[in-house]
Amino acid sequence: MTATVATARDERIAAIAHRLWEEEGRPDGRAEHHWLCAAVLVDAQLAKPAASPRIKVAAKKSRKA
């Protein structure tokens, strides 16, 4: 992982960890827990393959004679 990718990943983790901390009522002593939970979420997002555009194909109606 390059430094730029690691930095972007860490920034995303920090933002999510902060949100988790706030949602839990800002408890003391839970920073590592929030960071690890956020890291799991971010890594799962990064592991997903990029969404490929869906191509619409017109259905052909079969004509039976």
Side-chain angles (χ1 to χ4, degrees), residues 14-55:
I16 293 171
H18 184 78
R19 189 182 75 225
L20 293 172
W21 172 71
E22 286 187 331
E23 288 174 359
E24 278 191 20
R26 300 178 178 187
D28 289 334
R30 305 262 300 151
E32 184 176 5
H33 172 77
H34 294 127
W35 183 273
L36 294 174
C37 288
V40 168
L41 292 171
V42 169
D43 289 342
Q45 292 170 348
L46 293 173
K48 287 183 183 177
S52 59
R54 295 183 180 213
I55 300 172

Side-chain angles (χ1 to χ4, degrees), residues 1-26:
M1 200 177 318
T2 65
T4 304
V5 172
T7 301
R9 177 181 172 272
D10 288 349
E11 288 174 2
R12 288 172 65 182
I13 292 171
I16 293 171
H18 184 78
R19 189 182 75 225
L20 293 172
W21 172 71
E22 286 187 331
E23 288 174 359
E24 278 191 20
R26 300 178 178 187

